[in-house]
Amino acid sequence: MRFPEGFLWGAATAAFQVEGATTADGRGRSIWDEFCEVPGAVVGGHTGEPAADHYRRFDEDVRLMADLGLQAYRFSVAWPRVRPDGGLVNKAGLDFYDRLVDRLLAAGIEPWPTLYHWDLPQPLEERGGWAARATPYRFADFAASTAEALGDRVRHWTTLNEPWCSAFLGYAAGVHAPGRRDPRAAVAAVHHLLLGHGLAAEVIRAASARAEVGITLNLYPVIPADPDDPADVDAARRVDGLQNRIFLEPLFHGRYPDDVVEDLAPYGFTAHVRDGDLDAVAAPLDRLGVNYYAEHHVSGRPGPAVAGSPWVGAEHVTFPGRGLPRTDMGWEVEPSGLTEVLLRVHRDYPPIPLYVTENGAAYRDAVAPDGAVRDPERLGYLESHLRAAHAAIEAGADLRGYFAWSLMDNFEWAEGYAKRFGIVHVDYATQVRTPKMSAMWYSQVAKDNALATVVAP
Protein backbone atom coordinates (compact mmCIF):
# COMPACT_ATOMS: atom_id res chain seq x y z
CA MET A 1 0.00 0.00 0.00
CA ARG A 2 2.15 2.82 -1.32
CA PHE A 3 1.66 6.53 -0.63
CA PRO A 4 2.03 9.27 -3.27
CA GLU A 5 5.50 10.32 -4.31
CA GLY A 6 6.74 13.06 -1.99
CA PHE A 7 4.39 12.15 0.86
CA LEU A 8 5.81 13.66 4.06
CA TRP A 9 6.48 11.51 7.13
CA GLY A 10 7.02 13.20 10.48
CA ALA A 11 6.30 13.26 14.19
CA ALA A 12 4.99 15.98 16.46
CA THR A 13 5.43 17.42 19.95
CA ALA A 14 4.41 20.59 21.82
CA ALA A 15 6.63 22.92 23.81
CA PHE A 16 5.04 22.65 27.26
CA GLN A 17 4.75 18.88 26.91
CA VAL A 18 8.41 18.16 26.14
CA GLU A 19 10.72 21.10 26.80
CA GLY A 20 10.89 21.40 30.58
CA ALA A 21 13.33 24.16 31.61
CA THR A 22 10.35 26.25 32.66
CA THR A 23 12.47 28.97 34.29
CA ALA A 24 15.54 28.84 32.02
CA ASP A 25 16.91 31.75 30.01
CA GLY A 26 14.23 34.27 30.86
CA ARG A 27 11.17 32.14 30.13
CA GLY A 28 8.08 33.57 31.78
CA ARG A 29 5.13 31.78 33.31
CA SER A 30 2.39 30.36 31.15
CA ILE A 31 -1.21 29.57 31.93
CA TRP A 32 -0.17 25.92 32.19
CA ASP A 33 2.48 26.67 34.82
CA GLU A 34 -0.25 28.39 36.79
CA PHE A 35 -2.85 25.64 36.18
CA CYS A 36 -0.47 22.91 37.34
CA GLU A 37 -0.34 24.54 40.75
CA VAL A 38 -4.11 24.29 41.26
CA PRO A 39 -4.75 21.35 43.62
CA GLY A 40 -6.34 18.47 41.73
CA ALA A 41 -6.07 20.10 38.30
CA VAL A 42 -3.38 17.71 37.02
CA VAL A 43 -3.11 14.00 37.81
CA GLY A 44 -0.42 13.43 40.41
CA GLY A 45 0.11 17.16 40.90
CA HIS A 46 2.68 17.05 38.12
CA THR A 47 4.06 20.09 36.32
CA GLY A 48 5.84 20.81 33.06
CA GLU A 49 9.19 20.34 34.77
CA PRO A 50 11.19 18.42 33.63
CA ALA A 51 8.82 16.96 31.00
CA ALA A 52 11.11 15.24 28.47
CA ASP A 53 13.88 17.82 29.01
CA HIS A 54 13.86 18.56 25.28
CA TYR A 55 15.15 22.10 25.86
CA ARG A 56 18.46 20.71 27.07
CA ARG A 57 18.49 17.47 25.05
CA PHE A 58 17.32 18.69 21.65
CA ASP A 59 20.62 17.67 19.99
CA GLU A 60 20.08 14.09 21.13
CA ASP A 61 16.46 14.22 20.03
CA VAL A 62 17.31 15.51 16.56
CA ARG A 63 19.83 12.68 16.15
CA LEU A 64 17.10 10.25 17.21
CA MET A 65 14.70 11.69 14.61
CA ALA A 66 17.38 11.36 11.95
CA ASP A 67 18.06 7.75 12.97
CA LEU A 68 14.35 7.03 12.57
CA GLY A 69 14.34 8.58 9.12
CA LEU A 70 11.79 11.28 9.92
CA GLN A 71 11.49 13.90 7.22
CA ALA A 72 9.78 16.60 9.30
CA TYR A 73 9.41 17.62 12.93
CA ARG A 74 6.33 19.48 14.06
CA PHE A 75 7.09 21.36 17.28
CA SER A 76 5.63 24.43 18.96
CA VAL A 77 7.29 27.68 19.91
CA ALA A 78 6.73 28.61 23.55
CA TRP A 79 5.23 32.09 23.59
CA PRO A 80 6.44 32.62 27.22
CA ARG A 81 10.03 32.04 26.06
CA VAL A 82 9.88 34.52 23.21
CA ARG A 83 7.71 37.28 24.73
CA PRO A 84 7.43 36.33 28.41
CA ASP A 85 4.87 38.96 29.37
CA GLY A 86 3.43 39.49 25.90
CA GLY A 87 5.67 42.52 25.40
CA LEU A 88 9.39 42.73 24.69
CA VAL A 89 11.23 39.91 22.93
CA ASN A 90 13.45 37.65 25.06
CA LYS A 91 16.36 36.93 22.72
CA ALA A 92 17.69 34.06 24.82
CA GLY A 93 14.38 32.22 24.48
CA LEU A 94 14.13 32.87 20.76
CA ASP A 95 17.71 31.67 20.29
CA PHE A 96 16.69 28.17 21.39
CA TYR A 97 14.42 27.81 18.37
CA ASP A 98 17.11 29.30 16.16
CA ARG A 99 19.47 26.51 17.26
CA LEU A 100 16.77 23.85 16.95
CA VAL A 101 15.93 24.89 13.39
CA ASP A 102 19.60 24.83 12.41
CA ARG A 103 20.09 21.33 13.88
CA LEU A 104 17.00 20.02 12.13
CA LEU A 105 18.03 21.37 8.74
CA ALA A 106 21.56 20.03 9.17
CA ALA A 107 20.02 16.59 9.79
CA GLY A 108 17.81 16.84 6.71
CA ILE A 109 14.63 17.28 8.73
CA GLU A 110 12.13 19.97 7.78
CA PRO A 111 11.05 22.20 10.71
CA TRP A 112 7.28 22.68 11.07
CA PRO A 113 6.75 25.18 13.91
CA THR A 114 3.36 25.80 15.48
CA LEU A 115 3.07 29.21 17.09
CA TYR A 116 0.38 28.43 19.64
CA HIS A 117 -0.03 25.08 21.33
CA TRP A 118 -1.91 26.36 24.39
CA ASP A 119 0.84 28.07 26.43
CA LEU A 120 -0.44 31.64 26.73
CA PRO A 121 1.79 33.90 28.87
CA GLN A 122 0.18 34.20 32.29
CA PRO A 123 0.39 38.03 32.31
CA LEU A 124 -1.85 38.09 29.21
CA GLU A 125 -4.37 35.81 30.90
CA GLU A 126 -4.44 38.20 33.83
CA ARG A 127 -5.44 40.89 31.33
CA GLY A 128 -8.33 38.78 30.05
CA GLY A 129 -6.64 36.02 28.05
CA TRP A 130 -8.25 34.90 24.82
CA ALA A 131 -11.55 36.36 26.00
CA ALA A 132 -9.98 39.83 25.57
CA ARG A 133 -9.76 41.44 22.14
CA ALA A 134 -6.20 42.67 22.76
CA THR A 135 -4.79 39.12 22.89
CA PRO A 136 -4.98 38.38 19.12
CA TYR A 137 -2.90 41.50 18.51
CA ARG A 138 -0.28 40.42 21.05
CA PHE A 139 -0.26 37.03 19.31
CA ALA A 140 0.47 38.76 16.01
CA ASP A 141 3.40 40.56 17.68
CA PHE A 142 4.75 37.21 18.86
CA ALA A 143 4.25 35.69 15.41
CA ALA A 144 6.07 38.58 13.76
CA SER A 145 9.14 38.37 16.00
CA THR A 146 9.35 34.58 15.54
CA ALA A 147 8.92 34.72 11.76
CA GLU A 148 11.47 37.51 11.45
CA ALA A 149 14.02 35.38 13.31
CA LEU A 150 13.34 32.04 11.62
CA GLY A 151 11.64 32.87 8.33
CA ASP A 152 14.85 32.74 6.30
CA ARG A 153 15.00 28.98 7.03
CA VAL A 154 11.46 27.94 7.98
CA ARG A 155 8.86 27.55 5.27
CA HIS A 156 6.02 25.64 6.92
CA TRP A 157 4.18 27.63 9.61
CA THR A 158 1.13 26.72 11.67
CA THR A 159 -0.61 29.49 13.60
CA LEU A 160 -2.84 27.62 16.07
CA ASN A 161 -3.17 24.06 17.26
CA GLU A 162 -6.72 22.96 18.06
CA PRO A 163 -8.39 26.26 18.94
CA TRP A 164 -11.41 24.19 20.05
CA CYS A 165 -9.40 22.93 23.02
CA SER A 166 -8.05 26.37 23.87
CA ALA A 167 -11.53 27.92 23.88
CA PHE A 168 -13.85 25.23 25.15
CA LEU A 169 -11.65 23.10 27.43
CA GLY A 170 -9.82 26.12 28.81
CA TYR A 171 -12.63 28.66 29.19
CA ALA A 172 -15.86 26.61 29.37
CA ALA A 173 -15.05 23.21 30.90
CA GLY A 174 -12.15 24.43 33.03
CA VAL A 175 -10.27 21.14 32.60
CA HIS A 176 -7.40 22.78 30.71
CA ALA A 177 -5.57 25.98 31.48
CA PRO A 178 -6.57 28.63 32.38
CA GLY A 179 -9.25 26.58 34.15
CA ARG A 180 -12.15 28.97 33.69
CA ARG A 181 -15.82 27.94 33.54
CA ASP A 182 -17.37 30.88 31.77
CA PRO A 183 -19.36 30.15 28.59
CA ARG A 184 -19.30 33.80 27.55
CA ALA A 185 -15.51 33.87 27.80
CA ALA A 186 -15.32 30.62 25.82
CA VAL A 187 -17.28 31.91 22.83
CA ALA A 188 -15.30 35.16 22.89
CA ALA A 189 -12.13 33.06 22.85
CA VAL A 190 -13.32 31.19 19.75
CA HIS A 191 -13.51 34.38 17.73
CA HIS A 192 -10.37 35.93 19.16
CA LEU A 193 -8.33 32.80 18.46
CA LEU A 194 -9.47 32.83 14.84
CA LEU A 195 -8.76 36.55 14.58
CA GLY A 196 -5.31 35.88 16.03
CA HIS A 197 -4.77 33.27 13.32
CA GLY A 198 -5.66 35.76 10.59
CA LEU A 199 -3.46 38.51 12.01
CA ALA A 200 -0.55 36.11 12.51
CA ALA A 201 -0.84 34.75 8.97
CA GLU A 202 -0.52 38.28 7.63
CA VAL A 203 2.64 39.12 9.57
CA ILE A 204 4.27 35.77 8.82
CA ARG A 205 3.83 36.34 5.10
CA ALA A 206 5.15 39.88 5.48
CA ALA A 207 8.27 38.55 7.21
CA SER A 208 8.98 35.75 4.74
CA ALA A 209 7.99 35.59 1.08
CA ARG A 210 8.57 31.82 1.08
CA ALA A 211 6.26 31.15 4.02
CA GLU A 212 3.39 28.69 3.74
CA VAL A 213 0.80 29.25 6.45
CA GLY A 214 -1.76 26.85 7.84
CA ILE A 215 -3.83 26.15 10.92
CA THR A 216 -4.49 22.84 12.67
CA LEU A 217 -8.01 21.81 13.73
CA ASN A 218 -9.12 18.73 15.63
CA LEU A 219 -11.93 17.47 13.43
CA TYR A 220 -14.21 14.57 14.26
CA PRO A 221 -17.25 12.97 12.64
CA VAL A 222 -20.27 13.69 14.82
CA ILE A 223 -22.87 10.96 14.46
CA PRO A 224 -26.32 10.74 16.09
CA ALA A 225 -26.62 7.66 18.27
CA ASP A 226 -30.04 7.03 16.71
CA PRO A 227 -30.39 8.68 13.28
CA ASP A 228 -34.18 8.31 13.55
CA ASP A 229 -34.40 10.17 16.86
CA PRO A 230 -34.89 13.94 16.30
CA ALA A 231 -33.25 14.71 19.66
CA ASP A 232 -30.12 12.77 18.71
CA VAL A 233 -30.01 14.36 15.25
CA ASP A 234 -30.24 17.84 16.75
CA ALA A 235 -27.59 17.01 19.36
CA ALA A 236 -25.27 15.93 16.54
CA ARG A 237 -25.98 19.16 14.68
CA ARG A 238 -25.13 21.25 17.73
CA VAL A 239 -21.94 19.36 18.57
CA ASP A 240 -20.79 19.31 14.95
CA GLY A 241 -21.38 23.06 14.88
CA LEU A 242 -19.26 23.63 17.99
CA GLN A 243 -16.53 21.11 17.13
CA ASN A 244 -16.09 21.49 13.38
CA ARG A 245 -18.17 24.09 11.54
CA ILE A 246 -17.54 27.01 13.89
CA PHE A 247 -13.92 26.89 12.69
CA LEU A 248 -14.17 25.54 9.14
CA GLU A 249 -16.86 27.94 7.93
CA PRO A 250 -15.13 31.23 8.83
CA LEU A 251 -11.75 29.97 7.64
CA PHE A 252 -13.02 28.87 4.23
CA HIS A 253 -16.17 30.94 3.69
CA GLY A 254 -15.68 34.02 5.85
CA ARG A 255 -18.81 33.50 7.95
CA TYR A 256 -20.03 31.65 10.99
CA PRO A 257 -22.82 29.07 10.47
CA ASP A 258 -26.26 30.57 11.02
CA ASP A 259 -27.43 27.75 13.29
CA VAL A 260 -24.32 28.01 15.47
CA VAL A 261 -24.74 31.78 15.75
CA GLU A 262 -28.33 31.18 16.87
CA ASP A 263 -27.27 28.49 19.37
CA LEU A 264 -24.68 30.85 20.88
CA ALA A 265 -26.84 33.98 20.92
CA PRO A 266 -27.52 33.67 24.67
CA TYR A 267 -23.76 33.94 25.26
CA GLY A 268 -23.20 37.13 23.27
CA PHE A 269 -21.11 35.52 20.54
CA THR A 270 -21.71 38.01 17.73
CA ALA A 271 -20.85 41.00 19.94
CA HIS A 272 -17.20 40.07 19.48
CA VAL A 273 -17.27 40.05 15.66
CA ARG A 274 -16.34 43.45 14.24
CA ASP A 275 -16.15 44.76 10.69
CA GLY A 276 -13.16 43.31 8.86
CA ASP A 277 -12.56 40.48 11.34
CA LEU A 278 -13.87 37.71 9.13
CA ASP A 279 -11.92 39.01 6.14
CA ALA A 280 -8.76 38.54 8.19
CA VAL A 281 -9.84 35.08 9.38
CA ALA A 282 -10.65 33.93 5.83
CA ALA A 283 -7.35 34.98 4.25
CA PRO A 284 -6.27 32.12 1.94
CA LEU A 285 -4.63 29.14 3.62
CA ASP A 286 -1.73 27.23 2.10
CA ARG A 287 -2.76 24.03 3.88
CA LEU A 288 -4.98 22.64 6.62
CA GLY A 289 -3.72 20.44 9.42
CA VAL A 290 -6.13 17.80 10.71
CA ASN A 291 -5.77 16.17 14.11
CA TYR A 292 -7.86 13.06 14.61
CA TYR A 293 -8.31 10.68 17.52
CA ALA A 294 -11.93 9.43 17.66
CA GLU A 295 -15.48 9.79 16.41
CA HIS A 296 -18.21 11.47 18.45
CA HIS A 297 -21.43 9.48 18.77
CA VAL A 298 -23.93 11.74 20.52
CA SER A 299 -27.37 11.60 22.02
CA GLY A 300 -29.82 14.30 23.00
CA ARG A 301 -31.72 12.06 25.38
CA PRO A 302 -31.99 13.41 28.91
CA GLY A 303 -28.92 12.69 30.93
CA PRO A 304 -27.12 14.06 33.97
CA ALA A 305 -25.96 17.65 33.67
CA VAL A 306 -22.23 17.85 33.08
CA ALA A 307 -20.53 20.35 35.36
CA GLY A 308 -18.30 22.53 33.26
CA SER A 309 -19.28 20.93 29.96
CA PRO A 310 -17.27 22.22 26.98
CA TRP A 311 -20.40 22.04 24.85
CA VAL A 312 -21.63 25.58 25.33
CA GLY A 313 -25.33 25.56 24.47
CA ALA A 314 -25.37 21.76 24.41
CA GLU A 315 -24.60 20.88 28.01
CA HIS A 316 -26.93 17.88 28.22
CA VAL A 317 -25.57 16.03 25.20
CA THR A 318 -24.37 12.53 26.10
CA PHE A 319 -21.76 10.39 24.39
CA PRO A 320 -22.78 6.72 24.42
CA GLY A 321 -20.03 4.19 23.82
CA ARG A 322 -20.30 1.50 21.18
CA GLY A 323 -18.22 -1.23 22.75
CA LEU A 324 -15.15 -0.72 20.55
CA PRO A 325 -11.56 -1.18 21.76
CA ARG A 326 -10.33 1.83 23.70
CA THR A 327 -6.98 3.49 24.18
CA ASP A 328 -5.56 4.25 27.62
CA MET A 329 -7.28 7.67 27.36
CA GLY A 330 -10.62 5.85 27.15
CA TRP A 331 -11.15 6.89 23.52
CA GLU A 332 -12.76 4.37 21.19
CA VAL A 333 -10.63 3.31 18.24
CA GLU A 334 -12.40 4.05 14.95
CA PRO A 335 -9.97 4.51 12.03
CA SER A 336 -12.72 5.07 9.47
CA GLY A 337 -13.44 8.41 11.14
CA LEU A 338 -10.12 9.71 9.84
CA THR A 339 -11.14 8.83 6.29
CA GLU A 340 -14.44 10.61 6.82
CA VAL A 341 -13.04 13.90 8.16
CA LEU A 342 -10.46 14.11 5.36
CA LEU A 343 -13.11 13.46 2.75
CA ARG A 344 -15.48 15.92 4.38
CA VAL A 345 -12.96 18.74 3.97
CA HIS A 346 -12.25 17.57 0.42
CA ARG A 347 -15.96 17.39 -0.39
CA ASP A 348 -17.38 20.44 1.39
CA TYR A 349 -14.67 23.08 1.16
CA PRO A 350 -12.44 24.65 -1.49
CA PRO A 351 -9.45 22.56 -2.63
CA ILE A 352 -6.59 22.66 -0.15
CA PRO A 353 -3.56 20.48 0.67
CA LEU A 354 -4.21 18.43 3.80
CA TYR A 355 -1.81 17.04 6.40
CA VAL A 356 -2.61 14.78 9.32
CA THR A 357 -0.73 16.81 11.92
CA GLU A 358 -1.58 14.59 14.90
CA ASN A 359 -2.74 11.01 15.17
CA GLY A 360 -1.73 8.49 17.78
CA ALA A 361 -2.72 6.65 20.92
CA ALA A 362 -1.81 6.29 24.58
CA TYR A 363 -1.18 2.78 25.83
CA ARG A 364 0.56 1.38 28.86
CA ASP A 365 4.02 0.24 27.94
CA ALA A 366 7.34 -0.21 29.69
CA VAL A 367 10.94 -1.17 29.01
CA ALA A 368 11.28 -4.96 29.17
CA PRO A 369 14.24 -6.68 30.88
CA ASP A 370 15.90 -7.06 27.46
CA GLY A 371 15.71 -3.29 26.92
CA ALA A 372 12.93 -3.39 24.29
CA VAL A 373 9.59 -1.59 24.44
CA ARG A 374 6.95 -3.68 22.71
CA ASP A 375 3.75 -1.75 21.98
CA PRO A 376 1.72 -3.83 19.53
CA GLU A 377 -1.50 -1.96 20.34
CA ARG A 378 0.00 1.39 19.34
CA LEU A 379 1.55 -0.12 16.23
CA GLY A 380 -1.82 -1.55 15.27
CA TYR A 381 -3.48 1.81 15.90
CA LEU A 382 -1.02 3.63 13.65
CA GLU A 383 -1.25 0.98 10.95
CA SER A 384 -5.05 1.04 10.86
CA HIS A 385 -5.15 4.84 10.72
CA LEU A 386 -2.57 4.98 7.96
CA ARG A 387 -4.79 2.60 6.01
CA ALA A 388 -7.67 5.00 6.67
CA ALA A 389 -5.53 7.92 5.46
CA HIS A 390 -4.64 5.98 2.32
CA ALA A 391 -8.32 5.27 1.69
CA ALA A 392 -8.99 9.02 1.79
CA ILE A 393 -6.24 9.60 -0.80
CA GLU A 394 -7.71 6.90 -3.02
CA ALA A 395 -11.09 8.64 -2.77
CA GLY A 396 -9.63 11.97 -3.88
CA ALA A 397 -8.46 13.80 -0.75
CA ASP A 398 -5.30 15.86 -1.33
CA LEU A 399 -3.48 14.42 1.68
CA ARG A 400 0.25 15.15 1.53
CA GLY A 401 1.70 14.09 4.86
CA TYR A 402 1.28 12.44 8.25
CA PHE A 403 2.74 13.33 11.66
CA ALA A 404 2.60 10.68 14.37
CA TRP A 405 1.63 11.91 17.82
CA SER A 406 3.86 11.89 19.62
CA LEU A 407 7.56 11.64 18.95
CA MET A 408 8.18 10.85 22.61
CA ASP A 409 6.33 10.29 25.86
CA ASN A 410 5.57 13.61 27.50
CA PHE A 411 3.44 15.70 29.85
CA GLU A 412 -0.11 14.87 28.77
CA TRP A 413 -1.85 18.03 30.00
CA ALA A 414 -4.39 17.31 32.77
CA GLU A 415 -3.25 13.67 32.80
CA GLY A 416 0.26 14.68 33.81
CA TYR A 417 2.73 11.87 33.11
CA ALA A 418 0.14 9.13 33.53
CA LYS A 419 -0.45 8.59 29.79
CA ARG A 420 2.17 7.67 27.20
CA PHE A 421 1.58 8.66 23.57
CA GLY A 422 5.17 8.46 22.34
CA ILE A 423 6.65 6.19 19.75
CA VAL A 424 9.80 6.74 21.82
CA HIS A 425 9.73 5.78 25.49
CA VAL A 426 11.04 8.33 28.00
CA ASP A 427 12.22 7.28 31.45
CA TYR A 428 11.33 10.45 33.33
CA ALA A 429 13.79 9.71 36.15
CA THR A 430 16.82 9.28 33.88
CA GLN A 431 15.56 10.91 30.64
CA VAL A 432 16.78 7.87 28.70
CA ARG A 433 15.04 7.56 25.33
CA THR A 434 14.13 4.11 23.96
CA PRO A 435 12.47 3.78 20.55
CA LYS A 436 9.47 1.51 20.87
CA MET A 437 8.52 -1.25 18.46
CA SER A 438 6.06 1.21 16.89
CA ALA A 439 8.91 3.66 16.21
CA MET A 440 10.94 1.03 14.36
CA TRP A 441 7.89 0.06 12.32
CA TYR A 442 7.05 3.70 11.55
CA SER A 443 10.66 4.30 10.53
CA GLN A 444 10.33 1.54 7.94
CA VAL A 445 7.04 2.98 6.69
CA ALA A 446 8.72 6.36 6.18
CA LYS A 447 11.68 4.78 4.41
CA ASP A 448 9.47 2.71 2.07
CA ASN A 449 6.74 5.35 1.66
CA ALA A 450 4.44 2.38 2.07
CA LEU A 451 2.95 0.35 4.89
CA ALA A 452 5.45 -2.11 6.28
CA THR A 453 4.28 -5.70 6.18
CA VAL A 454 6.84 -7.24 8.55
CA VAL A 455 6.94 -6.36 12.24
CA ALA A 456 9.79 -7.41 14.49
CA PRO A 457 8.69 -9.41 17.54
Side-chain angles (χ1 to χ4, degrees):
M1 185 175 285
R2 297 195 61 79
F3 284 78
E5 190 69 26
F7 194 84
L8 188 70
W9 297 97
T13 66
F16 193 78
Q17 294 184 269
V18 298
E19 286 182 358
T22 55
T23 60
D25 298 329
R27 180 191 179 276
R29 285 178 66 81
S30 77
I31 56 175
W32 273 95
D33 295 298
E34 196 81 6
F35 189 68
C36 287
E37 294 180 359
V38 176
V42 175
V43 171
H46 293 135
T47 70
E49 186 67 54
D53 200 27
H54 182 59
Y55 188 81
R56 299 181 178 90
R57 299 171 184 266
F58 73 94
D59 274 319
E60 173 189 352
D61 293 335
V62 171
R63 288 194 297 272
L64 176 58
M65 291 180 235
D67 290 344
L68 291 175
L70 299 183
Q71 300 161 2
Y73 175 44
R74 178 176 177 251
F75 60 96
S76 74
V77 178
W79 191 347
R81 289 199 193 281
V82 176
R83 287 182 178 255
D85 62 359
L88 296 177
V89 172
N90 172 39
K91 185 177 183 301
L94 191 53
D95 284 350
F96 166 69
Y97 300 102
D98 193 76
R99 295 191 298 272
L100 175 60
V101 165
D102 282 347
R103 298 294 195 282
L104 290 167
L105 292 173
I109 300 168
E110 195 72 24
W112 277 57
T114 296
L115 288 172
Y116 189 69
H117 201 132
W118 309 351
D119 48 357
L120 182 72
Q122 178 61 24
L124 292 183
E125 173 58 28
E126 291 168 5
R127 299 200 288 271
W130 284 110
R133 189 173 175 87
T135 301
Y137 294 89
R138 301 294 75 75
F139 180 60
D141 294 340
F142 160 58
S145 53
T146 307
E148 287 162 6
L150 306 179
D152 59 328
R153 287 153 292 157
V154 171
R155 181 178 182 182
H156 305 283
W157 294 89
T158 299
T159 55
L160 307 175
N161 179 78
E162 297 184 353
W164 181 87
C165 293
S166 299
F168 290 116
L169 297 184
Y171 288 87
V175 296
H176 276 193
R180 291 166 64 176
R181 292 187 175 184
D182 181 351
R184 287 182 171 272
V187 301
V190 167
H191 181 66
H192 293 151
L193 282 155
L194 286 170
L195 178 59
H197 153 77
L199 297 173
E202 181 179 3
V203 299
I204 292 167
R205 291 187 171 113
S208 174
R210 67 196 298 267
E212 295 182 357
V213 181
I215 186 173
T216 283
L217 305 178
N218 49 327
L219 301 177
Y220 304 119
V222 182
I223 302 164
D226 181 353
D228 295 322
D229 184 331
D232 287 5
V233 171
D234 189 60
R237 176 197 63 78
R238 285 181 286 159
V239 171
D240 180 61
L242 293 167
Q243 178 73 60
N244 300 318
R245 292 182 290 117
I246 198 171
F247 299 104
L248 289 167
E249 291 293 317
L251 286 166
F252 287 103
H253 296 314
R255 62 177 182 268
Y256 288 109
D258 290 341
D259 65 311
V260 176
V261 170
E262 183 177 351
D263 289 343
L264 297 182
Y267 308 98
F269 179 57
T270 56
H272 304 289
V273 183
R274 299 186 185 175
D275 289 347
D277 284 3
L278 289 172
D279 291 336
V281 173
L285 290 167
D286 295 303
R287 67 174 185 276
L288 178 68
V290 174
N291 292 356
Y292 173 80
Y293 292 98
E295 293 184 346
H296 290 336
H297 290 258
V298 303
S299 174
R301 299 184 184 92
V306 180
S309 168
W311 306 105
V312 172
E315 288 83 358
H316 295 281
V317 167
T318 56
F319 292 77
R322 294 184 299 145
L324 297 173
R326 293 178 180 265
T327 71
D328 198 32
M329 293 292 289
W331 301 338
E332 291 189 325
V333 178
E334 185 50 85
S336 63
L338 176 57
T339 309
E340 172 54 30
V341 295
L342 294 171
L343 289 178
R344 179 184 188 176
V345 176
H346 167 69
R347 179 180 65 241
D348 295 350
Y349 296 95
I352 188 168
L354 301 173
Y355 290 82
V356 174
T357 39
E358 284 185 29
N359 178 236
Y363 290 106
R364 299 181 185 183
D365 42 50
V367 180
D370 64 359
V373 181
R374 298 176 178 86
D375 58 341
E377 289 179 307
R378 180 176 294 102
L379 192 157
Y381 181 101
L382 293 172
E383 193 266 350
S384 64
H385 285 76
L386 283 174
R387 288 185 178 275
H390 193 276
I393 295 171
E394 295 259 288
D398 186 11
L399 181 64
R400 300 188 184 185
Y402 178 94
F403 290 78
W405 183 268
S406 171
L407 173 66
M408 65 187 85
D409 294 334
N410 53 43
F411 177 88
E412 183 47 41
W413 307 116
E415 297 290 341
Y417 299 102
K419 307 296 183 184
R420 293 182 177 270
F421 273 89
I423 60 172
V424 174
H425 181 276
V426 176
D427 182 321
Y428 296 118
T430 64
Q431 292 296 332
V432 169
R433 276 85 159 122
T434 304
K436 303 176 186 179
M437 181 170 67
S438 60
M440 309 313 294
W441 175 85
Y442 186 64
S443 175
Q444 191 65 46
V445 170
K447 178 181 177 181
D448 294 343
N449 198 36
L451 288 184
T453 55
V454 178
V455 179

